[in-house]
């Protein structure tokens, strides 16, 4: 896909070498951006094989609202989050929790009884908020809203997370009957993470568009720290020698997103070049 190749070239040519927490330096560039028209095909890279099952299963896991990876790892043999999980699979309140059970506090009046009397008192009660369902409801009720935002960043919970969220916010925007999605990412591993992010959020946009009666529009993506690990450079240079092919087609069963299973996603005409192996920096 040309947009991805342009991103790789720009960071290789204009990025600066930086140290980071993993111990493996990166070539990093500030604030990269690209967008893809989803009517032109599903943006799953063709110049290397991207494992479609893992992309879809990760998306479905995000929608489950869990703070562990047991469904991914133990039930479905998908191991893309193993490096960050505890032995029991716990990863803390990251994407699934923040998407579906975002914690907040609200005042409620509680009646305290004792010694033959009752006292009403206002107290702060912890609650959970389903951001995905709110976005779907808003797209149905007020599609012209500019406030259809899902946030995966909660500063107060960072210490409880296995990995602070990299893709921190996405916004839906409707234009001419088409559903567009803009993803903001604070940090992006171009070789390994970005191909997954691009495909995952495009699939999410397509599924939600179908549920709310819209056509898929554009997926746009801003990456604040767009980086290439130095041990990924040779593999990406090899990938740049390959010619992008026609994008595949993704068909999704016409169901609410909460009812979707892997079998409801059908990928057609995907003919990628061979896998290029990149080490994960943890």
């Amino acid at each position: 896909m040309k947009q991805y190749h342009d991103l790789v070239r720009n960071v290789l040519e204009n990025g600066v070498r930086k140290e980071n927490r993993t111990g493996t330096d990166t070539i990093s560039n500030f604030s990269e951006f690209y967008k893809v028209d989803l009517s032109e095909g599903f943006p799953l890279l063709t110049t290397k094989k991207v494992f479609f099952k893992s992309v879809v299963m990760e998306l479905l896991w995000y929608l489950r609202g869990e703070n562990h990876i047991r469904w991914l790892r133990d039930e479905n043999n998908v191991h893309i989050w193993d490096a960050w999980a505890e032995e029991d699979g716990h990863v803390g309140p990251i994407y699934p929790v923040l998407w579906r059970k975002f914690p907040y506090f609200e005042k409620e009046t509680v009646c305290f009884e004792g010694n033959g009397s009752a006292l009403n008192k206002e107290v702060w009660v912890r609650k959970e908020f389903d951001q995905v369902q709110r976005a779907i409801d808003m797209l149905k009720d007020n599609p012209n809203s500019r406030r259809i935002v899902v946030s995966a960043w909660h500063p107060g919970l960072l210490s409880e997370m296995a990995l602070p969220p990299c893709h921190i916010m996405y916004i839906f925007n409707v234009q001419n009957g088409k559903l567009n999605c803009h993803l903001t990412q604070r940090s992006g591993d171009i070789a390994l993470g970005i191909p997954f992010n691009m495909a995952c959020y495009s699939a999410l946009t397509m599924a939600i568009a179908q549920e709310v009666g819209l056509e898929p529009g554009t997926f746009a993506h801003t990456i604040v720290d767009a980086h290439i690990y130095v041990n990924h450079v040779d593999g990406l240079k090899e990938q740049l020698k390959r010619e992008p092919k026609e994008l595949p087609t993704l068909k999704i069963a016409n169901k609410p997103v909460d009812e979707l299973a892997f079998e409801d996603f059908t990928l057609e005409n995907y003919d990628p070049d061979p896998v290029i192996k990149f080490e994960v920096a943890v």
Side-chain angles (χ1 to χ4, degrees):
M1 199 175 73
K2 182 180 183 300
Q3 294 94 321
Y4 179 77
H5 281 215
D6 289 345
L7 170 65
V8 173
R9 286 193 186 93
N10 193 43
V11 174
L12 286 175
E13 293 173 3
N14 300 299
V16 297
R17 186 157 179 153
K18 291 176 62 176
E19 297 179 351
N20 63 86
R21 62 172 180 80
T22 70
T24 303
D25 288 359
T26 62
I27 299 169
S28 170
N29 219 24
F30 172 68
S31 193
E32 291 288 343
F33 173 80
Y34 68 88
K35 61 182 179 180
V36 294
D37 184 344
L38 297 177
S39 70
E40 295 177 355
F42 181 61
L44 197 65
L45 296 186
T46 60
T47 48
K48 73 168 185 179
K49 182 176 181 180
V50 179
F51 293 99
F52 176 67
K53 178 184 177 182
S54 295
V55 170
V56 173
M57 296 304 289
E58 184 177 36
L59 171 58
L60 295 177
W61 174 64
Y62 290 158
L63 292 167
R64 289 174 63 87
E66 298 169 343
N67 64 359
H68 59 81
I69 63 166
R70 292 190 289 273
W71 179 81
L72 268 182
R73 182 190 66 190
D74 303 335
E75 296 183 38
N76 291 286
N77 197 33
V78 175
H79 298 280
I80 55 178
W81 275 90
D82 288 9
W84 294 279
E86 296 178 5
E87 187 175 343
D88 66 354
H90 186 77
V91 289
I94 57 174
Y95 304 107
V97 172
L98 295 174
W99 282 22
R100 308 308 306 263
K101 299 176 182 178
F102 195 97
Y104 72 101
F105 287 86
E106 188 174 271
K107 272 189 176 181
E108 286 190 358
T109 301
V110 177
C111 180
F112 295 91
E113 297 182 356
N115 299 322
S117 62
L119 174 66
N120 290 328
K121 187 176 181 180
E122 281 193 333
V123 297
W124 289 99
V125 178
R126 186 184 187 278
K127 297 194 172 184
E128 296 174 343
F129 188 79
D130 187 342
Q131 296 190 84
V132 173
Q133 188 58 54
R134 176 181 179 274
I136 291 170
D137 292 342
M138 290 185 72
L139 287 168
K140 291 178 179 178
D141 298 337
N142 185 18
N144 290 329
S145 174
R146 298 172 297 201
R147 302 177 180 180
I148 309 176
V149 179
V150 176
S151 174
W153 190 258
H154 194 311
L157 297 179
L158 294 180
S159 63
E160 300 178 31
M161 300 178 186
L163 180 69
C166 295
H167 25 115
I168 60 174
M169 177 177 67
Y170 57 100
I171 302 174
F172 290 118
N173 181 276
V174 178
Q175 300 282 340
N176 296 322
K178 293 185 177 182
L179 180 62
N180 306 305
C181 177
H182 182 278
L183 172 65
T184 298
Q185 188 155 346
R186 66 169 179 85
S187 175
D189 174 351
I190 291 174
L192 283 174
I194 298 303
F196 264 70
N197 305 142
M198 181 194 311
C200 177
Y201 280 89
S202 294
L204 174 67
T205 302
M206 294 170 68
I208 289 181
Q210 188 165 250
E211 179 170 348
V212 300
L214 297 168
E215 292 295 320
T218 295
F219 170 68
H221 192 180
T222 296
I223 311 157
V224 178
D225 190 300
H227 54 261
I228 294 169
Y229 285 95
V230 292
N231 57 346
H232 294 170
V233 170
D234 291 343
L236 285 172
K237 286 182 176 178
E238 173 61 31
Q239 190 172 351
L240 289 177
K241 296 176 184 177
R242 301 175 178 180
E243 190 67 27
K245 303 176 184 177
E246 184 176 347
L247 292 176
T249 299
L250 177 62
K251 294 182 178 179
I252 305 174
N254 192 5
K255 297 179 179 180
V257 293
D258 284 339
E259 296 179 13
L260 290 171
F262 175 71
E263 295 73 21
D264 295 316
F265 294 79
T266 304
L267 186 67
E268 297 179 347
N269 302 317
Y270 186 46
D271 181 29
D273 289 321
V275 168
I276 298 175
K277 293 185 177 181
F278 296 105
E279 291 185 21
V280 178
V282 179

